[in-house]
Amino acid sequence: NMDTAQESVCLANDEYKETNLNKELPQCSVGEDVGFTLAFPSISTADFQFDNEKAADIIVEKVEEFMSKLGNNRLVLVDLSYRSKILSLVRTKVASRNIDSKKFFTFVGDITKLYSAGGLYCNVIANAANWRLKPGGGGVNSAIFSAAGPALEYATKERAKSLQPGRAVAVPLPSDSPLFKRERVSHVIHVLGPNMNPQRPNCLNNDYGKGSKILREAYTALFECFVSIAR
Ligand code: AR6
């Protein structure tokens, strides 16, 4: 129901966690003590038109804040192209911060093919979702829903019917999903970021005070979900 969805900062569920994680899920391919890896796209910076420079500052700030809570788990910011503006901004900003490059790095690739095409095992991937938690709409949302097949749509519906800006919901991927079988992804975390695009619902009309607050909340919710899955 709507209330539950709106309350939920993170809905990672213990019961599902066990079902999914007790299967012999591959961990990560690089390094020896690597635990879980979260691959995430830059929330709100394409279709939702959030300023890339401001978003990069927020990503770096939130990554730095979560470093101490990560243990041997890692965060990877993904984008499709080597020319990605957000990846280069984040790489530049990270260089002057106290951030361990083994625990956070950027990666160029399709988030739905990180293992099969890029050789990078990521147990958990994040989705820049829409408020209805529905497939389609272009961007990373349609890529993830089509790669995961209808199983993700059903599993998502069981968790939440909608999402508020700044919130995240973790959905365990059923083992018959191609994304589970081919890429070994065990969870998709849907995140709804702030929207600056007048053509989309809940447009913030360039209010970067509100927008930045919501983007910070979105990354906090995402990283907290991930940490609770990895725990
Ligand atoms: N793999 C990795 N990164 C990707 C991929 C992919 N397959 N596809 C896009 N990106 P966006 P938003 C990057 O527009 O701005 C949808 O219609 C992209 O280059 O997907 O939060 C939803 O339904 C960019 O860096 O998300 C919502 O309505 C980042 O992913 C709306 O768009 C996010 O771009 C959300 O807009």
Side-chain angles (χ1 to χ4, degrees):
N1 78 25
M2 286 280 281
D3 286 334
T4 325
Q6 288 167 7
E7 295 283 321
S8 59
V9 170
C10 174
L11 297 172
N13 173 300
D14 286 351
E15 175 199 330
Y16 269 88
K17 212 157 70 182
E18 279 187 5
T19 356
N20 254 0
L21 299 184
N22 287 345
K23 286 175 195 142
E24 288 185 18
L25 282 176
Q27 301 292 298
C28 298
S29 57
V30 193
E32 278 157 29
D33 296 321
V34 177
F36 283 72
T37 304
L38 168 71
F40 66 101
S42 167
I43 307 299
S44 290
T45 53
D47 189 53
F48 278 178
Q49 300 177 2
F50 197 95
D51 179 81
N52 278 231
E53 186 77 45
K54 291 185 172 68
D57 282 329
I58 291 171
I59 292 171
V60 173
E61 172 197 318
K62 284 291 156 185
V63 164
E64 191 170 32
E65 186 185 318
F66 269 80
M67 277 291 118
S68 62
K69 301 177 190 167
L70 278 179
N72 60 349
N73 305 299
R74 329 180 278 188
L75 306 173
V76 183
L77 175 66
V78 177
D79 201 357
L80 286 167
S81 160
Y82 283 98
R83 293 185 307 265
S84 165
K85 189 177 163 200
I86 193 78
L87 289 195
S88 67
L89 285 167
V90 167
R91 277 196 298 262
T92 307
K93 290 171 196 291
V94 153
S96 60
R97 298 294 193 99
N98 186 20
I99 291 173
D100 180 348
S101 62
K102 286 193 233 63
K103 287 193 193 174
F104 174 70
F105 52 92
T106 62
F107 194 84
V108 176
D110 182 333
I111 204 163
T112 66
K113 292 179 186 152
L114 291 175
Y115 178 62
S116 61
L120 182 73
Y121 263 141
C122 296
N123 326 63
V124 184
I125 64 172
N127 177 29
N130 53 59
W131 75 276
R132 290 179 188 278
L133 295 169
K134 287 276 164 60
V140 75
N141 184 72
S142 31
I144 290 176
F145 271 102
S146 34
L152 177 60
E153 218 184 319
Y154 301 138
T156 299
K157 273 192 197 132
E158 280 175 23
R159 287 306 156 114
K161 302 278 179 282
S162 66
L163 207 56
Q164 292 277 301
R167 301 296 176 102
V169 57
V171 178
L173 256 190
S175 52
D176 62 344
S177 165
L179 211 49
F180 182 100
K181 286 198 271 196
R182 191 187 67 222
E183 307 297 330
R184 320 281 177 91
V185 171
S186 73
H187 292 72
V188 173
I189 303 176
H190 298 295
V191 192
L192 183 61
N195 171 35
M196 297 298 181
N197 180 350
Q199 320 280 332
R200 301 283 178 268
N202 295 314
C203 176
L204 292 171
N205 299 313
N206 235 33
D207 182 345
Y208 274 95
K210 262 190 203 152
S212 298
K213 178 171 178 281
I214 294 171
L215 193 59
R216 284 194 178 86
E217 288 168 0
Y219 282 108
T220 301
L222 169 61
F223 295 160
E224 273 173 1
C225 270
F226 172 60
V227 165
S228 83
I229 289 166
R231 207 175 273 137

